[in-house]
Amino acid sequence: MSKIEIRSEIPGNVLRIEVAVGDKVGEEDAIVMVESMKMEIPIGAPSAGTIAEILVEEGEGIEEGQVVAIMTT
């Protein structure tokens, strides 16, 4: 079982967390919705797997490249 860090591609604010720890996700499923420049942008899963940790909270400001969640495959 390998761990994969899911990183934000843009800076912004966490609008919604779309999954919970233990959820199974498919490739490109939305993990977190980020609001940036008045747009909602999903951060998707890079592959199918299971969410192991969520490292951000709704309303939190995040930076480009910041790890928002960890999943296992």
Side-chain angles (χ1 to χ4, degrees):
M1 193 180 308
S2 63
K3 289 188 176 183
I4 298 172
E5 293 180 337
I6 302 170
R7 296 179 179 269
S8 177
E9 297 175 5
I10 55 162
N13 291 315
V14 176
L15 189 60
R16 283 188 309 278
I17 297 171
E18 301 284 348
V19 297
V21 172
D23 285 357
K24 294 193 181 306
V25 295
E27 186 174 357
E28 297 301 320
D29 283 357
I31 305 299
V32 173
M33 291 297 285
V34 175
E35 181 180 30
S36 182
M37 298 184 294
K38 298 184 182 179
M39 295 174 52
E40 291 184 20
I41 301 162
I43 298 174
S47 63
T50 303
I51 301 299
E53 291 181 70
I54 297 172
L55 305 173
V56 295
E57 295 181 8
E58 290 183 2
E60 179 179 343
I62 59 173
E63 300 295 326
E64 182 177 347
Q66 181 175 337
V67 178
V68 297
I70 296 175
M71 62 183 283
T72 57
T73 57

